[in-house]
């Protein structure tokens, strides 16, 4: 019986069963060491041919890095009518026959949103005195100022909320008065890149 036929009929178990007997025989031979090496090599070849080569591929792993937030600039500049409740808080001393239509709200707000990942945020807008000078004290009735600007926070803003005396004034005239008003926004990102841009208030001014 040939070796190939023996392997086919008896299988791998038969070879392993008789391995001990064969090894004792080879030990008595002058070249036993060489034969043992050959036999072991043959067995390894049989094992590889019988079981096949199985490749193990490490699974692909993706390490997600937190994305840097990109700041956005939000601008609100609008003139609106007063509500009845707002009009109640307006002092009208010195005005002849005042009505609610004699006044308007003027809201001017500039924001840096999603600004947690940037530093040195700056929003440079005109102050109260600047607006009084621009619109004259006869038109600028009163106003409030709000602001927030801290590193590590998502939102920074500057807000000017004013009440204007509007009798005899038109929207076009007010827009002309505010045409020279400019403001500036800047910050520095994690890479040290500087964002610095100037804006004109008249480009965002709307009337409601």
């Amino acid at each position: 019986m040939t070796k190939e036929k023996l392997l086919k009929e008896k299988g791998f178990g038969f070879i392993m069963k008789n391995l001990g007997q064969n090894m004792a025989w080879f030990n008595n031979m002058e070249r036993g060491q060489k034969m043992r090496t050959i036999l072991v090599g043959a067995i390894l070849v049989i094992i590889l041919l019988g079981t096949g080569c199985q490749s193990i591929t490490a699974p692909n792993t993706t390490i997600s890095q937190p994305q840097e937030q990109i700041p956005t600039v939000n601008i609100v500049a609008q003139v609106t009518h007063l509500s009845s409740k707002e009009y109640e808080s307006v002092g009208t001393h010195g005005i002849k026959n005042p009505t609610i239509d004699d006044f308007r709200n003027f809201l001017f707000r500039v924001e840096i949103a999603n600004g947690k990942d940037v530093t040195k945020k700056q929003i440079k807008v005109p102050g109260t005195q600047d607006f009084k000078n621009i619109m004259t004290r006869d038109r600028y009735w009163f106003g409030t100022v709000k602001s927030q600007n801290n590193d590590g926070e998502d939102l920074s803003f500057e807000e000017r909320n004013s009440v204007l005396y509007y009798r005899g004034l038109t929207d076009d005239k007010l827009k002309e008065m505010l045409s020279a008003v400019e403001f500036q926004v800047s910050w520095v990102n994690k890479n040290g890149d500087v964002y610095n841009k100037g804006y004109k208030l008249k480009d965002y001014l709307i009337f409601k």
Side-chain angles (χ1 to χ4, degrees):
M1 182 180 295
T2 64
K3 293 181 180 180
E4 292 79 6
K5 187 174 182 180
L6 180 64
L7 176 60
K8 183 175 180 180
E9 293 181 0
K10 300 297 184 177
F12 180 71
F14 173 80
I15 294 176
M16 295 303 295
K17 181 177 179 182
N18 291 279
L19 178 60
Q21 299 176 1
N22 291 333
M23 292 300 293
W25 180 70
F26 281 123
N27 285 335
N28 295 325
M29 297 180 63
E30 183 178 355
R31 298 180 179 179
Q33 182 65 38
K34 181 176 180 181
M35 295 301 295
R36 285 196 298 273
T37 302
I38 295 173
L39 181 59
V40 171
I43 291 173
L44 290 175
V45 171
I46 292 171
I47 292 173
L48 291 175
L49 290 175
T51 61
C53 296
Q54 189 175 29
S55 61
I56 301 176
T57 304
N60 293 327
T61 56
T62 302
I63 301 176
S64 59
Q65 298 292 338
Q67 293 184 347
E68 180 180 351
Q69 290 187 341
I70 301 176
T72 57
V73 178
N74 302 321
I75 301 167
V76 176
Q78 64 182 24
V79 177
T80 59
H81 291 266
L82 273 65
S83 66
S84 298
K85 187 175 181 179
E86 289 172 333
Y87 180 64
E88 290 176 1
S89 63
V90 175
T92 59
H93 179 72
I95 299 177
K96 186 177 180 179
N97 301 322
T99 68
I100 192 173
D101 289 331
D102 290 332
F103 297 90
R104 297 287 191 277
N105 279 322
F106 171 52
L107 174 62
F108 177 46
R109 180 182 173 98
V110 182
E111 295 180 349
I112 299 176
N114 301 321
K116 184 175 64 175
D117 294 333
V118 298
T119 59
K120 299 182 179 179
K121 293 176 287 185
Q122 289 189 342
I123 304 173
K124 297 181 179 180
V125 300
T128 301
Q129 189 60 48
D130 296 319
F131 278 114
K132 284 182 179 180
N133 294 336
I134 292 169
M135 292 183 282
T136 74
R137 293 178 180 273
D138 293 336
R139 294 297 180 186
Y140 187 95
W141 214 243
F142 65 89
T144 59
V145 174
K146 295 180 181 179
S147 65
Q148 174 179 295
N149 189 7
N150 300 309
D151 286 340
E153 292 187 354
D154 280 335
L155 182 65
S156 298
F157 68 87
E158 288 285 344
E159 180 180 301
R160 308 288 184 264
N161 202 337
S162 312
V163 172
L164 309 179
Y165 178 55
Y166 223 72
R167 181 185 290 182
L169 186 63
T170 63
D171 295 344
D172 289 338
K173 181 62 177 178
L174 179 61
K175 191 169 186 177
E176 182 183 341
M177 294 169 68
L178 297 173
S179 63
V181 177
E182 297 181 354
F183 56 98
Q184 195 169 34
V185 178
S186 64
W187 64 73
V188 179
N189 66 16
K190 288 183 176 180
N191 297 325
D193 300 323
V194 178
Y195 175 91
N196 192 342
K197 185 175 180 179
Y199 301 83
K200 289 183 177 294
L201 189 152
K202 68 175 184 178
D203 295 334
Y204 302 90
L205 186 62
I206 60 175
F207 298 87
K208 293 184 176 181

